[in-house]
Amino acid sequence: MWWGGRGQSFNIAPQKEEPEMGSVQENRMPEPRSRQPSSCLASRCLPGEQILAWAPGVRKGLEPELSGTLICTNFRVTFQPCGWQWNQTLVHGYTVLYLLTSVSGLSRVQLLRPGSLHKFIPEEILIHGRDFRLLRVGFEAGGLEPQAFQVTMAIVQARAQSNQAQQYSGITLSKAGQGSGSRKPPIPLMETAEDWETERKKQAARGWRVSTVNERFDVATSLPRYFWVPNRILDSEVRRAFGHFHQGRGPRLSWHHPGGSDLLRCGGFYTASDPNKEDIRAVELMLQAGHSDVVLVDTMDELPSLADVQLAHLRLRALCLPDSSVAEDKWLSALEGTRWLDYVRACLRKASDISVLVTSRVRSVILQERGDRDLNGLLSSLVQLLSAPEARTLFGFQSLVQREWVAAGHPFLTRLGGTGASEEAPVFLLFLDCVWQLLQQFPADFEFSEFFLLALHDSVRVPDTLTFLRNTPWERGKQSGQLNSYTQVYTPGYSQPPAGNSFNLQLSVWDWDLRYSNAQILQFQNPGYDPEHCPDSWLPRPQPSFMVPGPPSSVWLFSRGALTPLNQLCPWRQSPCQQSPSLLAVSSRWLPRPAISSESLADQEWGLPSHWGACPLPPGLLLPGYLGPQIRLWRRCYLRGRPEVQMGLSAPTISGLQDELSHLQELLRKWTPRISPEDHSKKRDPHTILNPTEIAGILKGRAEGDLG
């Protein structure tokens, strides 16, 4: 559980034993005067972290139950089993408090809210986290009752203070820590022009350049300082063109396909503006991006609204908590009633269609959403995951999230409920669920594991970094002191600010070693990843054969699974550059066919049969299934408040498989009566249901085969 609180600057220096890793300055936890702490409390705090209260207890709901210490600090509340280092317990840490219940006996139950008074000494407390986890801690008698009361009240008070505290300031590296052994970000943070130029060259986007028009955030504070625009467009034209889009978020390159297509994103047209001919021409040139075939995608069409996403997430959380009142026989229908899986299905379906648009023909595909800060980021990220094997690597995925979500100005703080505003909607968590679905359907194509997704899911509210705790790049830069008076002029090979400027390097969420041990970070790797699934065809090269040029001056609207011709690209008055023949006169080969259930967009674009059969997909493209049971519940995330449900989930390691097998065998020994050898020798009817012992034998054989 993470609270508010203000971080402090501290130094990170490379360790002598492990030069490649950084180490945080170690602060030992203070000892309460009332009683000497147990040995499991001798571990380190984060900089600026203070122990408010602690109490020995037993974590319940696990087999076996764990003895340890419940610790409340100004940052978090966590349970530390005896003998564990504190950084090992962060996998059991909890995000912002959702619900706190105190129990004494069978009849005394109190729901504790900020400012409420505790009426009795608790025998047990239940802490519900917003990340669907439940921490259930029981306190033993024998003179420890005051500590149990103190730690319970400390949690309540810390939660109340975090609601009134200033926004998190995060943890920064001071100038003293940037000496000869300075620590570089694990991935490019897309805060410098050099980062954007490096990524542009990596994508081989030769028709694009890095624009510095928003370097002072005077075009739009929600946009990054730098972004990609067509080579032929001047910055002065960019500034004027962006003024005709909602919140100044004009068309920018999101991703360049190696076959030649470009994926763009922008906000909605500001129809109340009155652009002149030059401005309309600049807007059209930016949207066309040098292509004769242009497809405008209405991002909000067929996808849930922000209010829909928030309501579905609240219903899902209420359903998955251990104290849910839904009967077991009605649980699946209640899950369907949350609509969460329907929204995951809708996102994957639309992303698949857009991937086909980008991959099938050389064209410009524009994602347009009114605010350009929510669903555009979700779809753009999913399209790149489906189309670009590089995005499925651990480094590539982190870079993708940093570029399409963090740098692009997704309002994390508002959407995750950090401001108390009514626009709360966990769009990013919906995206992570979509990625998990892809990981289940294509396990050999992703370098990162489910545990990495869980770590990212649980990191959205941690107060030690500003990655997910600000709404815009401007807010992050202002907080970290990076908004200096100088203007950075990009020169290849030089990206550091001039000497003499105060500059603090802000730690990002990608500095995993700040919160996780090396052993835990190793679990971020997917053991089933097959690099052969990342073909060499991903490398930028001349236009592949499956990419065919589009018709001359064609403009399409993609809506409800079909392409509809448009007479003009912009909603303003007719411009001279659009005096082209009517699209209805174009050959029927380029006209859309009605989208019906048996004919996907892939069928329309490639002329393939309703099933792919022997027709191969373009290199590197994934098309997921999204019908019925193909979309599953992320049990390891949403049901982790129910430990009994977690047993039986596929383990990530050989030792984990052995532990699960041992657990199943132990349960079968308890539940199954003794069976004589004669019973095994009897011939069985093939339609007879197997008993638990026979099932155990089959499971053991399969597991031994997997282990071998």
Side-chain angles (χ1 to χ4, degrees), residues 371-581:
D372 182 37
R373 302 176 67 184
D374 295 292
L375 298 179
N376 268 6
L378 184 148
L379 288 178
S380 175
S381 301
L382 289 179
V383 168
Q384 295 179 57
L385 284 172
L386 294 176
S387 308
E390 173 65 23
R392 302 171 208 148
T393 64
L394 185 58
F395 179 88
F397 182 76
Q398 294 177 102
S399 301
L400 175 68
V401 172
Q402 183 69 28
R403 186 177 70 253
E404 296 296 330
W405 292 86
V406 182
H410 176 69
F412 283 103
L413 192 62
T414 298
R415 295 293 181 259
L416 297 172
T419 62
S422 59
E423 296 90 0
E424 181 178 355
V427 180
F428 183 69
L429 302 186
L430 177 64
F431 163 70
L432 293 183
D433 197 321
C434 294
V435 178
W436 180 83
Q437 304 290 341
L438 297 178
L439 189 60
Q440 303 310 299
Q441 296 191 29
F442 307 99
D445 290 271
F446 290 84
E447 186 183 23
F448 53 88
S449 69
E450 178 183 16
F451 289 94
F452 171 76
L453 292 179
L454 282 172
L456 189 55
H457 180 280
D458 297 342
S459 298
V460 295
R461 296 182 179 92
V462 295
D464 52 354
T465 71
L466 296 179
T467 304
F468 300 135
L469 295 176
R470 289 293 181 272
N471 285 330
T472 65
W474 175 79
E475 292 178 2
R476 292 186 193 90
K478 181 179 179 182
Q479 184 66 59
S480 62
Q482 295 183 25
L483 299 183
N484 301 303
S485 58
Y486 70 91
T487 298
Q488 179 180 357
V489 179
Y490 171 69
T491 303
Y494 181 82
S495 64
Q496 299 298 327
N501 285 279
S502 59
F503 184 80
N504 289 330
L505 176 61
Q506 192 76 32
L507 290 181
S508 71
V509 71
W510 316 118
D511 292 288
W512 295 110
D513 56 335
L514 181 68
R515 301 183 306 279
Y516 292 88
S517 65
N518 291 341
Q520 292 166 348
I521 294 176
L522 287 177
Q523 293 190 25
F524 292 174
Q525 300 284 338
N526 175 18
Y529 174 64
D530 183 6
E532 297 298 326
H533 282 245
C534 294
D536 294 338
S537 59
W538 157 247
L539 299 177
R541 64 179 187 180
Q543 178 178 310
S545 59
F546 67 86
M547 301 285 282
V548 296
S553 303
S554 59
V555 181
W556 310 89
L557 173 67
F558 179 71
S559 177
R560 301 189 180 278
L563 290 169
T564 304
L566 293 176
N567 290 325
Q568 62 182 37
L569 187 57
C570 301
W572 305 291
R573 63 180 182 271
Q574 187 81 6
S575 63
C577 61
Q578 286 202 335
Q579 301 296 334
S580 58

Side-chain angles (χ1 to χ4, degrees), residues 7 19 73 110 176 184 241 251 265 287 303 341 344 355 402 419 421 423 462 505 548 555 587 593-594 628 653:
T73 77
Q110 182 181 358
K184 295 183 178 179
R265 59 184 291 182
L287 293 173
L303 292 187
L341 296 184
V344 172
S355 299
Q402 183 69 28
T419 62
E423 296 90 0
V462 295
L505 176 61
V548 296
V555 181
S587 170
R593 287 177 279 173
T653 62

Side-chain angles (χ1 to χ4, degrees), residues 628-674:
Q630 293 175 305
I631 301 300
R632 301 157 53 189
L633 179 68
W634 190 1
R635 292 199 300 164
R636 199 184 289 275
C637 179
Y638 303 138
L639 296 179
R640 47 186 160 174
R642 300 184 176 187
E644 71 279 1
V645 179
Q646 296 299 312
M647 296 306 298
L649 296 180
S650 57
T653 62
I654 299 298
S655 60
L657 285 173
Q658 293 173 332
D659 292 341
E660 290 193 2
L661 177 60
S662 300
H663 176 76
L664 291 174
Q665 291 174 333
E666 179 64 25
L667 290 178
L668 288 170
R669 279 193 291 269
K670 294 179 181 178
W671 295 343
T672 307
R674 295 288 182 178

Side-chain angles (χ1 to χ4, degrees), residues 133-151:
R133 283 186 285 185
L134 170 67
L135 179 60
R136 180 184 172 192
V137 179
F139 303 106
E140 299 178 355
L144 301 179
E145 292 84 356
Q147 285 184 270
F149 182 84
Q150 291 172 5
V151 73

